[in-house]
Coordinates of all heavy atoms in Angstrom, one line a residue:
M41 N -13.7 -35.5 -39.5 CA -14.7 -36.5 -39.2 C -14.7 -36.9 -37.7 O -13.7 -37.1 -37.2 CB -14.4 -37.8 -40.1 CG -15.5 -38.8 -39.9 SD -15.5 -40.1 -41.2 CE -13.8 -40.4 -41.5
D42 N -15.9 -36.9 -37.2 CA -16.1 -37.2 -35.7 C -16.5 -38.7 -35.6 O -17.6 -39.0 -36.0 CB -17.1 -36.3 -35.1 CG -17.3 -36.4 -33.6 OD1 -16.6 -37.3 -33.1 OD2 -18.0 -35.7 -33.0
L43 N -15.6 -39.5 -35.0 CA -15.9 -40.9 -34.9 C -16.4 -41.3 -33.5 O -16.3 -42.5 -33.1 CB -14.7 -41.8 -35.3 CG -14.4 -41.7 -36.8 CD1 -13.1 -42.5 -37.1 CD2 -15.5 -42.1 -37.7
R44 N -16.8 -40.4 -32.7 CA -17.3 -40.7 -31.4 C -18.6 -41.6 -31.5 O -19.3 -41.4 -32.5 CB -17.6 -39.5 -30.6 CG -16.4 -38.8 -30.0 CD -16.7 -37.6 -29.3 NE -17.5 -36.7 -30.2 CZ -18.1 -35.6 -29.9 NH1 -18.1 -35.2 -28.6 NH2 -18.8 -34.9 -30.7
E45 N -18.8 -42.4 -30.5 CA -20.0 -43.2 -30.5 C -21.2 -42.2 -30.5 O -21.3 -41.3 -29.7 CB -20.0 -44.0 -29.2 CG -20.8 -45.2 -29.2 CD -20.6 -46.1 -28.0 OE1 -21.1 -45.7 -26.9 OE2 -19.8 -47.1 -28.1
C46 N -22.2 -42.5 -31.3 CA -23.3 -41.6 -31.4 C -24.6 -42.5 -31.2 O -25.0 -43.3 -32.1 CB -23.3 -40.9 -32.8 SG -24.7 -39.8 -33.0
K47 N -25.3 -42.3 -30.1 CA -26.5 -43.0 -29.8 C -27.6 -42.6 -30.7 O -27.8 -41.4 -30.9 CB -26.9 -42.9 -28.4 CG -26.0 -43.7 -27.4 CD -26.7 -44.0 -26.1 CE -27.6 -45.2 -26.3 NZ -28.0 -45.9 -25.1
K48 N -28.4 -43.5 -31.2 CA -29.6 -43.2 -32.1 C -29.2 -42.4 -33.3 O -30.0 -41.6 -33.8 CB -30.7 -42.5 -31.2 CG -31.1 -43.4 -30.1 CD -32.3 -42.7 -29.3 CE -32.7 -43.5 -28.1 NZ -33.8 -42.9 -27.3
C49 N -28.0 -42.7 -33.8 CA -27.6 -42.0 -35.1 C -27.4 -43.0 -36.2 O -26.9 -44.1 -36.0 CB -26.3 -41.3 -34.9 SG -26.3 -39.9 -33.8
L50 N -27.8 -42.6 -37.4 CA -27.5 -43.3 -38.6 C -26.0 -43.0 -39.0 O -25.4 -42.2 -38.3 CB -28.5 -43.1 -39.7 CG -29.9 -43.5 -39.4 CD1 -30.8 -43.0 -40.5 CD2 -30.0 -45.0 -39.2
L51 N -25.5 -43.5 -40.1 CA -24.1 -43.4 -40.4 C -23.7 -41.9 -40.7 O -22.7 -41.5 -40.1 CB -23.8 -44.3 -41.6 CG -23.7 -45.8 -41.3 CD1 -23.7 -46.6 -42.6 CD2 -22.5 -46.1 -40.4
L52 N -24.4 -41.2 -41.5 CA -24.0 -39.9 -41.8 C -24.0 -39.0 -40.5 O -23.1 -38.2 -40.3 CB -24.8 -39.2 -42.9 CG -24.5 -39.6 -44.3 CD1 -25.4 -38.9 -45.3 CD2 -23.1 -39.4 -44.6
Q53 N -25.0 -39.1 -39.7 CA -25.0 -38.4 -38.4 C -23.9 -38.7 -37.5 O -23.5 -37.9 -36.7 CB -26.3 -38.6 -37.7 CG -27.6 -38.2 -38.5 CD -28.8 -38.9 -37.8 OE1 -28.9 -40.1 -37.7 NE2 -29.8 -38.0 -37.5
S54 N -23.3 -39.9 -37.7 CA -22.2 -40.3 -36.9 C -20.8 -39.9 -37.5 O -19.8 -40.2 -36.9 CB -22.2 -41.8 -36.8 OG -23.5 -42.3 -36.3
G55 N -20.9 -39.3 -38.6 CA -19.6 -38.9 -39.2 C -18.9 -40.0 -40.0 O -17.8 -40.0 -40.3
E56 N -19.7 -41.1 -40.3 CA -19.2 -42.3 -40.9 C -19.5 -42.2 -42.4 O -20.1 -43.1 -43.0 CB -19.9 -43.5 -40.3 CG -19.6 -43.7 -38.8 CD -18.5 -44.7 -38.5 OE1 -17.9 -45.2 -39.5 OE2 -18.4 -45.0 -37.3
E57 N -19.0 -41.2 -43.1 CA -19.3 -41.0 -44.5 C -18.8 -42.1 -45.4 O -19.5 -42.6 -46.3 CB -18.7 -39.7 -44.9 CG -19.3 -39.2 -46.3 CD -18.8 -37.9 -46.7 OE1 -18.4 -37.1 -45.8 OE2 -18.8 -37.6 -47.9
D58 N -17.6 -42.6 -45.1 CA -17.0 -43.7 -45.9 C -17.9 -45.0 -45.8 O -18.2 -45.6 -46.8 CB -15.6 -44.1 -45.5 CG -14.6 -43.0 -45.9 OD1 -15.0 -42.1 -46.7 OD2 -13.5 -43.0 -45.4
N59 N -18.3 -45.3 -44.6 CA -19.1 -46.5 -44.4 C -20.5 -46.3 -45.0 O -21.1 -47.2 -45.6 CB -19.3 -46.9 -42.9 CG -18.0 -47.5 -42.4 OD1 -17.3 -48.2 -43.2 ND2 -17.7 -47.4 -41.1
Y60 N -21.0 -45.0 -44.9 CA -22.3 -44.7 -45.5 C -22.2 -45.0 -47.0 O -23.1 -45.6 -47.6 CB -22.7 -43.2 -45.2 CG -23.9 -42.8 -46.0 CD1 -25.2 -43.1 -45.5 CD2 -23.8 -42.1 -47.2 CE1 -26.3 -42.7 -46.2 CE2 -24.9 -41.7 -47.9 CZ -26.2 -42.0 -47.4 OH -27.3 -41.6 -48.1
N61 N -21.2 -44.5 -47.7 CA -21.1 -44.6 -49.1 C -20.9 -46.1 -49.5 O -21.5 -46.6 -50.5 CB -19.8 -43.8 -49.6 CG -20.1 -42.3 -49.6 OD1 -21.2 -41.9 -49.7 ND2 -19.1 -41.6 -49.4
L62 N -20.2 -46.8 -48.7 CA -20.0 -48.3 -48.9 C -21.4 -49.0 -48.8 O -21.7 -49.8 -49.7 CB -19.1 -48.9 -47.9 CG -18.4 -50.2 -48.1 CD1 -17.6 -50.2 -49.4 CD2 -17.6 -50.6 -47.0
V63 N -22.1 -48.7 -47.8 CA -23.5 -49.3 -47.6 C -24.4 -48.9 -48.8 O -25.1 -49.8 -49.3 CB -24.1 -48.8 -46.3 CG1 -25.6 -49.1 -46.2 CG2 -23.4 -49.5 -45.1
Q64 N -24.3 -47.7 -49.2 CA -25.1 -47.3 -50.4 C -24.8 -48.1 -51.6 O -25.6 -48.5 -52.4 CB -25.0 -45.8 -50.7 CG -25.6 -44.9 -49.6 CD -27.0 -45.2 -49.2 OE1 -27.9 -45.4 -50.0 NE2 -27.3 -45.4 -47.9
E65 N -23.5 -48.4 -51.8 CA -23.0 -49.2 -53.0 C -23.6 -50.6 -52.9 O -24.0 -51.2 -53.8 CB -21.5 -49.2 -53.1 CG -20.9 -47.9 -53.5 CD -21.5 -47.5 -54.9 OE1 -21.5 -48.3 -55.8 OE2 -21.9 -46.3 -55.0
Y66 N -23.6 -51.2 -51.7 CA -24.1 -52.5 -51.5 C -25.6 -52.5 -51.7 O -26.2 -53.5 -52.3 CB -23.8 -53.0 -50.0 CG -22.4 -53.6 -49.9 CD1 -21.5 -53.0 -49.0 CD2 -21.9 -54.6 -50.7 CE1 -20.2 -53.5 -48.8 CE2 -20.6 -55.1 -50.6 CZ -19.8 -54.5 -49.6 OH -18.5 -55.0 -49.5
I67 N -26.3 -51.5 -51.2 CA -27.8 -51.4 -51.4 C -28.1 -51.4 -52.9 O -29.1 -52.1 -53.3 CB -28.3 -50.2 -50.7 CG1 -28.3 -50.4 -49.2 CG2 -29.8 -49.9 -51.1 CD1 -28.6 -49.2 -48.3
K68 N -27.3 -50.7 -53.7 CA -27.6 -50.6 -55.1 C -27.5 -52.0 -55.8 O -28.1 -52.3 -56.8 CB -26.5 -49.7 -55.8 CG -26.8 -48.3 -55.6 CD -25.7 -47.4 -56.4 CE -25.7 -46.0 -55.9 NZ -24.5 -45.3 -56.3
K69 N -26.8 -53.0 -55.2 CA -26.6 -54.3 -55.7 C -27.7 -55.3 -55.3 O -27.7 -56.4 -55.7 CB -25.2 -54.8 -55.4 CG -24.1 -54.0 -56.0 CD -22.8 -54.5 -55.6 CE -21.7 -53.6 -56.2 NZ -20.4 -53.8 -55.6
I70 N -28.6 -54.9 -54.4 CA -29.7 -55.7 -54.0 C -30.6 -56.0 -55.2 O -31.0 -55.0 -55.8 CB -30.4 -55.1 -52.8 CG1 -29.5 -55.0 -51.6 CG2 -31.6 -56.0 -52.4 CD1 -30.1 -54.3 -50.4
K71 N -31.0 -57.2 -55.4 CA -31.9 -57.5 -56.5 C -33.3 -56.8 -56.2 O -33.8 -56.8 -55.1 CB -32.2 -59.0 -56.6 CG -30.9 -59.8 -57.0 CD -31.2 -61.3 -56.9 CE -29.9 -62.0 -57.2 NZ -30.0 -63.4 -56.7
P72 N -33.9 -56.3 -57.3 CA -35.2 -55.5 -57.1 C -36.2 -56.3 -56.3 O -36.9 -55.7 -55.5 CB -35.6 -55.3 -58.6 CG -34.4 -55.3 -59.4 CD -33.4 -56.3 -58.7
G73 N -36.3 -57.6 -56.5 CA -37.3 -58.4 -55.8 C -37.0 -58.6 -54.3 O -37.9 -59.0 -53.6
E74 N -35.8 -58.3 -53.9 CA -35.4 -58.4 -52.5 C -35.4 -57.1 -51.8 O -35.2 -57.1 -50.6 CB -34.1 -59.1 -52.4 CG -34.0 -60.5 -53.0 CD -32.6 -61.1 -53.0 OE1 -31.7 -60.5 -52.5 OE2 -32.5 -62.2 -53.5
K75 N -35.6 -56.0 -52.6 CA -35.4 -54.7 -52.0 C -36.6 -54.2 -51.3 O -37.7 -54.3 -51.8 CB -34.9 -53.7 -53.1 CG -34.2 -52.5 -52.6 CD -33.5 -51.9 -53.8 CE -32.7 -50.7 -53.3 NZ -32.0 -50.0 -54.3
C76 N -36.4 -53.5 -50.2 CA -37.6 -52.9 -49.5 C -38.0 -51.7 -50.2 O -37.2 -50.9 -50.7 CB -37.0 -52.5 -48.1 SG -38.2 -51.8 -47.0
P77 N -39.4 -51.5 -50.3 CA -39.9 -50.2 -51.0 C -39.4 -49.0 -50.2 O -39.2 -49.1 -49.0 CB -41.4 -50.4 -50.9 CG -41.6 -51.8 -50.7 CD -40.4 -52.4 -49.9
D78 N -39.2 -47.9 -50.9 CA -38.6 -46.7 -50.3 C -39.3 -46.2 -49.1 O -38.7 -45.8 -48.1 CB -38.5 -45.6 -51.4 CG -37.5 -45.8 -52.4 OD1 -36.7 -46.7 -52.2 OD2 -37.5 -45.1 -53.4
G79 N -40.7 -46.2 -49.2 CA -41.5 -45.6 -48.0 C -41.3 -46.5 -46.8 O -41.1 -46.0 -45.7
L80 N -41.3 -47.8 -47.0 CA -41.2 -48.7 -45.9 C -39.7 -48.6 -45.3 O -39.5 -48.7 -44.1 CB -41.5 -50.2 -46.3 CG -41.4 -51.2 -45.2 CD1 -42.3 -50.9 -44.1 CD2 -41.7 -52.6 -45.9
Y81 N -38.8 -48.5 -46.2 CA -37.4 -48.3 -45.8 C -37.2 -47.1 -44.8 O -36.6 -47.2 -43.8 CB -36.5 -48.2 -47.0 CG -35.0 -48.0 -46.7 CD1 -34.3 -49.1 -46.2 CD2 -34.4 -46.8 -47.1 CE1 -32.9 -48.9 -46.0 CE2 -33.0 -46.7 -46.8 CZ -32.3 -47.7 -46.3 OH -30.9 -47.6 -46.1
S82 N -37.8 -46.0 -45.2 CA -37.8 -44.8 -44.4 C -38.4 -45.0 -43.1 O -37.9 -44.6 -42.0 CB -38.4 -43.6 -45.1 OG -37.8 -43.3 -46.3
E83 N -39.6 -45.7 -43.1 CA -40.3 -45.9 -41.8 C -39.4 -46.8 -40.9 O -39.4 -46.5 -39.7 CB -41.6 -46.7 -42.1 CG -42.7 -45.9 -42.6 CD -43.9 -46.7 -43.0 OE1 -44.1 -47.8 -42.3 OE2 -44.7 -46.3 -43.9
R84 N -38.8 -47.8 -41.4 CA -37.9 -48.6 -40.6 C -36.8 -47.8 -40.0 O -36.5 -48.0 -38.8 CB -37.3 -49.7 -41.5 CG -38.3 -50.8 -41.9 CD -37.7 -51.8 -42.8 NE -38.5 -52.9 -43.1 CZ -38.2 -54.0 -43.8 NH1 -37.0 -54.1 -44.4 NH2 -39.0 -55.0 -43.9
L85 N -36.2 -47.0 -40.8 CA -35.0 -46.2 -40.3 C -35.5 -45.2 -39.2 O -34.8 -44.9 -38.3 CB -34.3 -45.5 -41.4 CG -33.6 -46.5 -42.4 CD1 -32.8 -45.7 -43.4 CD2 -32.6 -47.4 -41.7
E86 N -36.7 -44.6 -39.4 CA -37.2 -43.7 -38.4 C -37.4 -44.5 -37.0 O -37.1 -43.9 -36.0 CB -38.5 -43.1 -38.8 CG -38.4 -42.0 -39.9 CD -37.4 -40.9 -39.5 OE1 -37.6 -40.4 -38.3 OE2 -36.6 -40.5 -40.3
K87 N -37.8 -45.7 -37.1 CA -37.9 -46.5 -35.9 C -36.6 -46.8 -35.2 O -36.4 -46.7 -34.0 CB -38.7 -47.8 -36.1 CG -40.2 -47.5 -36.4 CD -40.9 -48.8 -36.8 CE -42.4 -48.5 -37.0 NZ -43.1 -49.6 -37.6
C88 N -35.6 -47.1 -36.1 CA -34.3 -47.3 -35.6 C -33.7 -46.1 -34.9 O -33.0 -46.2 -33.8 CB -33.3 -47.8 -36.7 SG -33.6 -49.4 -37.3
K89 N -34.0 -44.9 -35.5 CA -33.5 -43.7 -34.9 C -34.1 -43.3 -33.5 O -33.5 -42.5 -32.8 CB -33.7 -42.5 -35.9 CG -32.8 -42.5 -37.1 CD -33.3 -41.7 -38.2 CE -33.4 -40.3 -38.0 NZ -33.9 -39.5 -39.2
R90 N -35.1 -44.0 -33.2 CA -35.7 -43.8 -31.8 C -35.3 -45.0 -30.9 O -35.8 -45.0 -29.8 CB -37.2 -43.7 -31.9 CG -37.7 -42.5 -32.7 CD -39.2 -42.2 -32.5 NE -40.0 -43.3 -33.0 CZ -40.5 -43.3 -34.3 NH1 -40.2 -42.4 -35.1 NH2 -41.2 -44.3 -34.7
C91 N -34.5 -45.9 -31.3 CA -34.2 -47.1 -30.6 C -32.8 -47.0 -29.8 O -31.8 -46.6 -30.4 CB -34.2 -48.3 -31.6 SG -33.8 -49.8 -30.8
D92 N -32.9 -47.5 -28.6 CA -31.6 -47.4 -27.8 C -30.6 -48.4 -28.3 O -29.4 -48.4 -27.9 CB -32.0 -47.8 -26.3 CG -32.7 -46.7 -25.6 OD1 -32.5 -45.5 -26.0 OD2 -33.4 -46.9 -24.7
N93 N -31.0 -49.3 -29.1 CA -30.0 -50.3 -29.7 C -29.2 -49.8 -30.8 O -28.3 -50.5 -31.3 CB -30.8 -51.6 -30.1 CG -31.4 -52.3 -29.0 OD1 -30.8 -52.4 -27.9 ND2 -32.6 -52.8 -29.2
L94 N -29.5 -48.6 -31.3 CA -28.8 -48.0 -32.4 C -27.6 -47.2 -31.9 O -27.8 -46.2 -31.2 CB -29.7 -47.1 -33.3 CG -29.0 -46.6 -34.5 CD1 -28.7 -47.7 -35.5 CD2 -30.0 -45.5 -35.2
I95 N -26.4 -47.6 -32.3 CA -25.2 -46.9 -32.0 C -24.4 -46.6 -33.2 O -23.9 -47.6 -33.9 CB -24.3 -47.7 -31.0 CG1 -25.0 -48.2 -29.8 CG2 -23.0 -46.9 -30.6 CD1 -25.4 -47.2 -28.7
S96 N -24.2 -45.4 -33.6 CA -23.4 -45.0 -34.8 C -23.7 -45.8 -36.0 O -22.9 -46.4 -36.7 CB -21.9 -45.2 -34.5 OG -21.5 -44.4 -33.4
G97 N -25.0 -46.0 -36.3 CA -25.5 -46.7 -37.5 C -25.6 -48.2 -37.4 O -26.1 -48.8 -38.3
V98 N -25.1 -48.7 -36.2 CA -25.1 -50.2 -36.0 C -26.1 -50.6 -35.0 O -26.2 -50.0 -33.9 CB -23.7 -50.7 -35.6 CG1 -23.7 -52.1 -35.3 CG2 -22.6 -50.3 -36.6
C99 N -26.9 -51.6 -35.3 CA -27.8 -52.2 -34.4 C -27.0 -53.2 -33.5 O -26.4 -54.1 -34.0 CB -28.9 -53.0 -35.1 SG -30.0 -53.9 -33.9
I100 N -27.0 -52.9 -32.2 CA -26.2 -53.7 -31.3 C -26.8 -55.1 -31.0 O -26.2 -56.0 -30.5 CB -25.9 -53.0 -29.9 CG1 -27.1 -52.7 -29.2 CG2 -25.0 -51.8 -30.2 CD1 -26.9 -52.1 -27.8
K101 N -28.1 -55.3 -31.5 CA -28.7 -56.6 -31.4 C -28.2 -57.6 -32.4 O -28.2 -58.8 -32.2 CB -30.2 -56.5 -31.5 CG -30.9 -55.8 -30.3 CD -30.9 -56.8 -29.1 CE -31.4 -56.2 -27.9 NZ -31.5 -57.1 -26.8
C102 N -27.8 -57.1 -33.6 CA -27.4 -58.0 -34.6 C -26.0 -57.6 -35.2 O -25.4 -58.4 -35.9 CB -28.4 -58.0 -35.8 SG -28.6 -56.5 -36.6
G103 N -25.5 -56.4 -34.9 CA -24.2 -56.0 -35.4 C -24.3 -55.5 -36.9 O -23.2 -55.3 -37.5
C104 N -25.5 -55.3 -37.4 CA -25.6 -54.9 -38.8 C -25.7 -53.3 -38.8 O -26.2 -52.7 -37.9 CB -27.0 -55.4 -39.4 SG -27.1 -57.1 -39.5
Y105 N -25.3 -52.8 -40.0 CA -25.6 -51.4 -40.3 C -27.1 -51.4 -40.6 O -27.6 -52.1 -41.5 CB -24.9 -50.9 -41.5 CG -23.4 -50.7 -41.2 CD1 -22.4 -51.4 -41.9 CD2 -23.0 -49.8 -40.3 CE1 -21.1 -51.2 -41.7 CE2 -21.6 -49.6 -40.0 CZ -20.7 -50.2 -40.7 OH -19.4 -50.0 -40.5
V106 N -27.9 -50.7 -39.8 CA -29.4 -50.8 -40.0 C -29.8 -50.3 -41.4 O -30.8 -50.8 -42.0 CB -30.2 -50.0 -39.0 CG1 -30.0 -50.7 -37.6 CG2 -29.8 -48.5 -38.9
E107 N -29.0 -49.3 -42.0 CA -29.3 -48.8 -43.3 C -29.2 -49.9 -44.4 O -29.9 -49.9 -45.4 CB -28.5 -47.6 -43.7 CG -28.9 -46.4 -42.9 CD -27.8 -45.4 -42.6 OE1 -26.9 -45.8 -41.8 OE2 -27.7 -44.3 -43.2
F108 N -28.4 -50.9 -44.1 CA -28.3 -52.1 -45.0 C -29.3 -53.1 -44.7 O -30.0 -53.6 -45.6 CB -26.9 -52.7 -44.9 CG -26.6 -53.7 -45.9 CD1 -26.7 -53.5 -47.3 CD2 -26.3 -55.0 -45.5 CE1 -26.5 -54.5 -48.2 CE2 -26.0 -56.0 -46.4 CZ -26.1 -55.8 -47.8
R109 N -29.4 -53.5 -43.4 CA -30.4 -54.5 -43.0 C -31.8 -54.1 -43.5 O -32.6 -54.9 -44.0 CB -30.4 -54.8 -41.5 CG -31.2 -55.9 -41.1 CD -31.2 -56.1 -39.6 NE -32.0 -57.2 -39.2 CZ -31.5 -58.5 -39.0 NH1 -30.2 -58.7 -39.1 NH2 -32.3 -59.4 -38.6
A110 N -32.2 -52.9 -43.2 CA -33.5 -52.4 -43.5 C -33.8 -52.4 -45.0 O -35.0 -52.3 -45.4 CB -33.8 -51.0 -42.9
A111 N -32.8 -52.4 -45.8 CA -33.0 -52.3 -47.3 C -33.5 -53.6 -47.9 O -33.9 -53.6 -49.0 CB -31.7 -51.9 -47.9
Y112 N -33.4 -54.7 -47.1 CA -34.0 -56.0 -47.6 C -35.4 -56.1 -47.1 O -35.7 -56.1 -45.9 CB -33.1 -57.2 -47.0 CG -31.9 -57.4 -47.8 CD1 -30.7 -56.8 -47.4 CD2 -31.9 -58.3 -48.9 CE1 -29.5 -57.0 -48.1 CE2 -30.7 -58.5 -49.6 CZ -29.5 -57.9 -49.2 OH -28.4 -58.1 -49.9
K113 N -36.3 -56.3 -48.1 CA -37.7 -56.5 -47.8 C -38.0 -57.5 -46.7 O -38.9 -57.2 -45.8 CB -38.4 -56.9 -49.1 CG -39.9 -56.9 -49.1 CD -40.4 -57.1 -50.5 CE -40.0 -58.4 -51.2 NZ -40.5 -58.6 -52.5
N114 N -37.4 -58.6 -46.8 CA -37.7 -59.7 -45.8 C -37.0 -59.7 -44.5 O -37.2 -60.6 -43.7 CB -37.6 -61.1 -46.5 CG -38.6 -61.2 -47.7 OD1 -39.7 -60.6 -47.6 ND2 -38.2 -62.0 -48.7
K115 N -36.1 -58.8 -44.3 CA -35.4 -58.7 -43.0 C -36.3 -58.1 -42.0 O -37.2 -57.3 -42.3 CB -34.1 -57.9 -43.2 CG -33.0 -58.5 -44.0 CD -32.3 -59.5 -43.2 CE -31.1 -60.0 -44.0 NZ -30.4 -61.1 -43.4
K116 N -36.0 -58.5 -40.8 CA -36.8 -58.0 -39.7 C -35.9 -57.3 -38.6 O -34.7 -57.7 -38.5 CB -37.6 -59.1 -39.0 CG -38.5 -59.9 -40.0 CD -39.9 -60.1 -39.5 CE -40.8 -60.8 -40.4 NZ -41.1 -60.2 -41.6
C117 N -36.5 -56.5 -37.8 CA -35.8 -56.0 -36.6 C -35.4 -57.2 -35.8 O -36.3 -58.0 -35.5 CB -36.7 -55.1 -35.8 SG -36.2 -54.7 -34.2
P118 N -34.1 -57.3 -35.4 CA -33.7 -58.5 -34.7 C -34.1 -58.6 -33.2 O -33.8 -59.6 -32.5 CB -32.2 -58.4 -34.8 CG -31.9 -57.0 -34.9 CD -33.1 -56.4 -35.6
D119 N -34.6 -57.5 -32.6 CA -34.9 -57.5 -31.2 C -36.3 -58.3 -31.0 O -37.3 -57.8 -31.4 CB -35.1 -56.1 -30.7 CG -35.2 -56.0 -29.2 OD1 -36.1 -56.8 -28.7 OD2 -34.5 -55.2 -28.6
A120 N -36.2 -59.5 -30.5 CA -37.4 -60.3 -30.3 C -38.5 -59.7 -29.5 O -39.7 -60.0 -29.7 CB -37.0 -61.7 -29.7
K121 N -38.2 -58.9 -28.5 CA -39.2 -58.2 -27.7 C -39.7 -57.0 -28.4 O -40.9 -56.7 -28.5 CB -38.6 -57.8 -26.4 CG -38.4 -59.0 -25.5 CD -37.9 -58.5 -24.1 CE -37.6 -59.7 -23.2 NZ -36.8 -59.3 -22.0
L122 N -38.9 -56.2 -29.0 CA -39.3 -54.9 -29.6 C -40.0 -55.1 -30.9 O -41.1 -54.5 -31.1 CB -38.0 -54.1 -29.9 CG -38.1 -52.6 -30.2 CD1 -38.7 -51.9 -29.0 CD2 -36.7 -52.1 -30.5
K123 N -39.5 -56.0 -31.8 CA -40.1 -56.3 -33.1 C -40.5 -55.0 -33.7 O -41.7 -54.8 -34.1 CB -41.3 -57.2 -33.0 CG -40.9 -58.6 -32.5 CD -42.1 -59.5 -32.5 CE -41.7 -60.9 -32.0 NZ -42.8 -61.7 -31.6
A124 N -39.6 -54.0 -33.8 CA -39.9 -52.7 -34.3 C -40.4 -52.7 -35.8 O -41.2 -51.8 -36.2 CB -38.8 -51.7 -34.1
W125 N -39.8 -53.6 -36.6 CA -40.3 -53.7 -38.0 C -40.0 -55.1 -38.5 O -39.4 -55.9 -37.9 CB -39.6 -52.6 -38.8 CG -38.1 -52.4 -38.7 CD1 -37.5 -51.4 -37.9 CD2 -37.1 -53.1 -39.4 NE1 -36.2 -51.5 -38.1 CE2 -35.9 -52.5 -38.9 CE3 -37.0 -54.1 -40.3 CZ2 -34.6 -52.9 -39.4 CZ3 -35.8 -54.6 -40.7 CH2 -34.6 -54.0 -40.3
Ligands
SF4_403 S1 -33.4 -53.3 -32.4 FE1 -34.6 -53.0 -34.3 S2 -35.4 -50.9 -34.1 FE2 -33.6 -51.1 -32.8 S3 -31.8 -50.5 -33.9 FE3 -32.0 -52.7 -34.1 S4 -33.2 -53.0 -36.0 FE4 -33.5 -50.9 -35.4

């Protein structure tokens, strides 16, 4: 497993398989009414993958794993200027 810092990478691309699996387990526990629809979730992550604030799956603006933050329907991109999603 390669744990080097990976710019614009989500967890699996960063070699963070254990954290990826943990995040997926947490996502499964999100109540259906709070969960982001699949299509919108993918769109959000595509925007994160083009963002300089994404380092090894973590948004440096909020310290969250973006794959988890984006899974909540009502969460927003934390960058007040960018407002990517
Ligand atoms: S600033 Fe917004 S678009 Fe960029 S990584 Fe964070 S959540 Fe994603």
Side-chain angles (χ1 to χ4, degrees):
M41 183 165 42
D42 185 355
L43 292 178
R44 285 177 303 169
E45 205 173 76
C46 184
K47 285 201 85 158
K48 300 184 183 181
C49 291
L50 297 174
L51 286 169
L52 280 182
Q53 297 165 305
S54 307
E56 300 258 6
E57 194 174 336
D58 289 349
N59 285 333
Y60 173 82
N61 289 332
L62 197 60
V63 164
Q64 294 306 311
E65 287 304 311
Y66 281 123
I67 289 172
K68 283 181 196 163
K69 294 177 183 165
I70 298 174
K71 293 176 187 161
E74 297 177 5
K75 203 165 183 179
C76 181
D78 289 347
L80 181 57
Y81 181 66
S82 298
E83 284 175 28
R84 288 175 170 185
L85 294 184
E86 285 304 314
K87 288 176 181 173
C88 290
K89 284 161 62 180
R90 296 193 297 269
C91 180
D92 287 334
N93 294 321
L94 183 66
I95 309 284
S96 302
V98 175
C99 173
I100 59 173
K101 287 290 178 177
C102 63
C104 298
Y105 289 120
V106 293
E107 285 150 293
F108 186 59
R109 185 180 183 96
Y112 278 91
K113 184 170 61 180
N114 293 333
K115 291 279 187 189
K116 305 227 179 294
C117 165
D119 189 312
K121 286 185 184 166
L122 196 61
K123 294 181 182 167
W125 47 266

